[in-house]
Amino acid sequence: MSTLLFAAASGAYGAKIHTPHIDYLSILPILIMMGGAVLLVTASSLFRQVMGVGSATFITVGTAIATLVAALFQWDHVVTHGAKVTIAGSIAYDGFSVFIQIVVAIAMLLTALIADGYLKREGIDGPEFHVLAMLSASGAMLMGSANDLIVIFLGLEILSIALYVLAAFNHKRAESGEAALKYFVLGAFSSAVFVYGIALVYGATGSSNLPQIADYLSKNVVASNGVLLAGLALLLVGFGFKIAAVPFHMWSPDVYQGSPSPVTGLMAAIAKAGAFAALLRVFVSSFGTLRADWQPIVWGIAILSLVVGAFAALVQKDIKRMMAYSSINHAGFILLGVQAATVRGVSASLYYLFAYMFMVIGTFAVITVVARDGDSGHQLTDYRGLGKRQPLLALAFAVLLLAQAGAPFTTGFLAKFTVVAAAVDIHSYALAVIAMASAAVAAFFYLRVVVAMYSPVGAVGDLSDLDAGELDAGPISVASPANAPVSVHGQNDAVASLSVLTEGPPTSAVADRMVRVPGLTTVAIGLSVGFTIVFGIIPGPIVDFAHQATLLFT
Amino acid sequence: MIGAASALNGNISGEWYLALAAVLFAIGAFGLLIRRNVLVMFMCVELMLNAANLTFVTFANMLHDIGGQVLVFFVLVVAAAEVVVGLGIVVAIFRRRANATADDFHLMKG
């Protein structure tokens, strides 16, 4: 009561309430991205008819490009004026944050292009997909610039909550809702763990602000402080869930498989970018003095992710599940840079995130178009003969997969090389060796898809690849006597004979048809492949970019 | 009556609140892992978030820092937004089938 009176009295006498100075340039890309989402949803509600996907895509692409331009302007500004901390110390405005904004803005741009074709094909109208994607992108960007644990948490939630909805977006597929629920329950669990970790760190250090925590830790010797270490462990668990590192990866195969394909690409790119950015900032810069405590744990998580990701992907039949385990494997690689906790390690991780963003979104763009109507063709058999039917699409997919495997002359090779070099730098030889071995194992499952694409569709081995689920799915079972010889025939004969014999196309005949690649998706795939190859051959610019971003780290 | 309450407050040290929060958090985490009803799982998440809130408030009081109490508002808002989305997803699934038991969500395996 007395405080209320006091507030009223001071208000009456015109006492100023001091609000922090807000440097709008430091949050300009986030504002543009979030503003674009708000504008789009508001604009669409003003019209009587449902807004078409085309115009929503147009606005989204425009917003993403504006965000990118603002981020590039920021980069110029940071390089000339230096890094700083703004808005009462809660936002860091440095090369590191600008780097993440650029990565996320490009990811949003590519996803908008891919989603356009997907939404039209699936007959999902309205601007909501793009609105949610932009909101979640702004969350990832906020995580990149957050300089306070609670701001990281807010960014994490803006990112995740929009992604939960996006995962459920295709209401025609039962898997989509199931994926969303699994993602939601485990995501909410990990957020709660993360918040409790923040609470414990706050209690132990007296602040949730990262520089103040670092300051406290450098001035006070906190050997075996139980509360602080527990908080640190809980933060690591929270991050582990978001980056899908083993043993916190259980959600990711189901969620990757069930979500609409463009969403999976976006999820893989920006959730990793945002969460790794925050992880690097919290652990390397704030808890750097405690690295003896957390480095062994990150070491273990990295090894588990590398090994489990590579080996579990080998036995997957569904390509999106395989990509989920592949992304777990990639998380292990990026953790190599985190574990090193050196300038070299951080810049290697940043470079990896940039390269991975292009590779994974391009890969999911191809997966989106190959899946056809209903977003259901994700078996390896759906890729059989793609090299003959659509050589360019198959070539693009092969390049992206080989880049993920770490083939030379692609950004993927350089990304793997830099993180392993960073691990060797701090004498983590065991980790480096395991990483390279896991890359060799991983190459096997990427190559399996490439081989499938370039093998003829009518090969006798086809039937053995079809599992029971797929047999049930087709309108006419492939195993039924009428169709049994089909898979032994050459592909043209098979199509011809089937179109005469049956009305509903059986599975193998569907796989023979060309898939339609919308123009905008072609642009997105082209950009991904172009980036992966051009900057794989001329690595200088991006490596320097990532390195400079690290030097401008507050 | 008011005097008795304040005397009681004075006697309970911060550690007890922290311990209570830890117990609540553990109940929430354990419940989330063993309960199969999705709505009960949501409640467990809420319990975990509120345990974190109690920890924030207790530490803010112990450290004489208003910052920790402010953080609680952020967590509350996020928790509300999270539940809105979670219930929306459950409703979307309910339209497909008539229950919300975690054991039934097994379309995807591998």
Side-chain angles (χ1 to χ4, degrees):
Chain A
M1 195 63 194
S2 58
T3 48
L4 266 179
L5 280 175
F6 177 68
S10 58
Y13 291 107
K16 268 190 182 167
I17 297 171
H18 288 282
T19 49
H21 170 68
I22 296 176
D23 180 8
Y24 284 101
L25 180 62
S26 67
I27 51 170
L28 188 59
I30 303 172
L31 287 180
I32 293 177
M33 191 62 97
M34 218 173 252
V38 174
L39 191 77
L40 182 54
V41 78
T42 314
S44 72
S45 66
L46 295 178
F47 298 113
R48 192 163 295 168
Q49 322 94 312
V50 177
M51 187 187 244
V53 172
S55 23
T57 307
F58 182 74
I59 295 178
T60 311
V61 169
T63 308
I65 291 174
T67 311
L68 189 59
V69 170
L72 290 173
F73 180 74
Q74 273 193 329
W75 176 260
D76 192 51
H77 190 259
V78 166
V79 168
T80 47
H81 292 77
K84 63 178 173 186
V85 172
T86 68
I87 315 184
S90 62
I91 294 285
Y93 178 44
D94 53 13
F96 185 88
S97 71
V98 178
F99 188 92
I100 296 298
Q101 325 242 332
I102 290 172
V103 170
V104 175
I106 297 174
M108 186 60 240
L109 175 65
L110 297 176
T111 305
L113 296 176
I114 301 160
D116 183 63
Y118 174 84
L119 294 172
K120 282 176 184 160
R121 188 185 74 194
E122 303 290 319
I124 301 171
D125 243 3
E128 288 83 6
F129 185 99
H130 291 96
V131 170
L132 289 165
M134 280 196 277
L135 281 178
S136 100
S138 68
M141 289 158 76
L142 186 60
M143 283 185 90
S145 6
N147 204 29
D148 191 296
L149 286 173
I150 206 74
V151 180
I152 292 177
F153 173 67
L154 288 179
L156 185 79
E157 289 300 311
I158 295 171
L159 165 77
S160 310
I161 291 177
L163 279 180
Y164 301 148
V165 186
L166 281 176
F169 214 79
N170 196 341
H171 51 85
K172 291 171 190 160
R173 292 176 68 223
E175 290 97 334
S176 191
E178 189 175 317
L181 192 73
K182 284 177 178 169
Y183 193 24
F184 173 78
V185 169
L186 285 166
F189 178 71
S190 74
S191 307
V193 169
F194 190 77
V195 173
Y196 197 57
I198 296 176
L200 294 185
V201 169
Y202 167 73
T205 62
S207 176
S208 65
N209 189 277
L210 295 179
Q212 282 176 30
I213 291 171
D215 193 46
Y216 176 88
L217 292 176
S218 63
K219 282 181 187 147
N220 301 277
V221 182
V222 279
S224 67
N225 182 332
V227 174
L228 181 62
L229 290 181
L232 206 58
L234 291 175
L235 288 183
L236 195 57
V237 172
F239 281 127
F241 267 105
K242 287 297 160 198
I243 61 175
V246 181
F248 314 111
H249 68 291
M250 305 80 70
W251 59 272
S252 90
D254 284 355
V255 173
Y256 274 47
Q257 185 188 350
S259 305
S261 303
V263 174
T264 316
L266 183 75
M267 191 188 284
I270 68 170
K272 272 211 171 47
F276 265 112
L279 177 66
L280 285 166
R281 210 187 271 283
V282 171
F283 279 79
V284 178
S285 92
S286 280
F287 293 111
T289 44
L290 292 177
R291 69 181 55 176
D293 291 314
W294 59 261
Q295 257 174 339
I297 306 173
V298 174
W299 187 85
I301 293 175
I303 285 189
L304 281 176
S305 307
L306 287 166
V307 173
V308 173
F311 280 99
L314 287 178
V315 296
Q316 301 304 323
K317 284 218 167 86
D318 185 295
I319 193 145
K320 277 164 90 182
R321 276 190 101 78
M322 194 197 88
M323 290 308 299
Y325 283 107
S326 133
S327 101
I328 293 167
N329 182 253
H330 284 297
F333 272 101
I334 305 173
L335 280 173
L336 248 65
V338 179
Q339 196 264 345
T342 53
V343 169
R344 197 167 177 188
V346 175
S347 81
S349 294
L350 284 182
Y351 179 77
Y352 205 115
L353 285 173
F354 203 167
Y356 179 67
M357 180 271 291
F358 269 106
M359 293 187 290
V360 79
I361 291 190
T363 307
F364 275 100
V366 179
I367 291 175
T368 306
V369 296
V370 173
R372 294 187 179 78
D373 243 356
D375 201 12
S376 53
H378 296 304
Q379 302 300 314
L380 209 52
T381 41
D382 292 302
Y383 289 82
R384 222 165 259 274
L386 193 69
K388 202 166 184 183
R389 293 194 301 274
Q390 281 159 303
L392 274 178
L393 185 66
L395 183 68
F397 199 37
V399 167
L400 291 167
L401 287 174
L402 291 176
Q404 292 205 50
F409 303 115
T410 61
T411 48
F413 169 74
L414 212 68
K416 284 195 164 54
F417 177 79
T418 48
V419 287
V420 170
V424 169
D425 237 21
I426 62 149
H427 310 293
S428 303
Y429 298 119
L431 195 55
V433 168
I434 290 172
M436 284 187 280
S438 95
V441 175
F444 180 77
F445 62 77
Y446 293 120
L447 282 175
R448 205 170 57 151
V449 181
V450 176
V451 168
M453 284 196 300
Y454 288 101
S455 63
V457 74
V460 186
D462 265 12
L463 276 178
S464 62
D465 283 342
L466 299 171
D467 58 14
E470 204 177 345
L471 290 174
D472 293 335
I476 293 175
S477 165
V478 180
S480 72
N483 296 324
V486 163
S487 50
V488 192
H489 285 211
Q491 58 171 32
N492 296 330
D493 296 352
V495 176
S497 62
L498 270 171
S499 55
V500 176
L501 281 173
T502 60
E503 289 153 17
T507 327
S508 63
V510 171
D512 286 350
R513 274 207 236 117
M514 305 271 278
V515 293
R516 210 175 64 78
V517 189
L520 291 179
T521 310
T522 315
V523 173
I525 296 173
L527 283 174
S528 315
V529 174
F531 177 88
T532 304
I533 293 180
V534 170
F535 290 104
I537 296 170
I538 318 163
I542 306 294
V543 172
D544 288 347
F545 182 35
H547 187 64
Q548 253 188 310
T550 325
L551 292 182
L552 294 165
F553 200 26
T554 49
Chain B
M1 192 66 190
I2 293 168
S6 63
L8 197 64
N9 276 342
N11 287 337
I12 299 175
S13 65
E15 282 78 12
W16 286 102
Y17 288 96
L18 294 179
L20 174 66
V23 169
L24 285 176
F25 186 82
I27 292 173
F30 192 64
L32 186 88
L33 296 175
I34 62 162
R35 293 302 293 262
R36 301 269 66 119
N37 187 308
V38 176
L39 293 177
V40 177
M41 289 163 94
F42 284 6
M43 291 179 205
C44 291
V45 169
E46 290 302 300
L47 199 57
M48 290 168 77
L49 286 171
N50 284 321
N53 283 343
L54 183 56
T55 313
F56 271 128
V57 173
T58 311
F59 275 132
N61 196 21
M62 287 165 83
L63 297 163
H64 304 294
D65 174 37
I66 196 78
Q69 299 186 23
V70 176
L71 301 186
V72 171
F73 289 104
F74 288 101
V75 178
L76 284 177
V77 170
V78 164
E82 218 168 44
V83 165
V84 167
V85 167
L87 290 179
I89 294 171
V90 170
V91 169
I93 290 178
F94 258 121
R95 285 190 183 165
R96 243 168 222 290
R97 54 180 140 205
N99 63 24
T101 308
D103 291 331
D104 297 336
F105 300 120
H106 49 60
L107 277 177
M108 293 170 289
K109 275 189 199 130

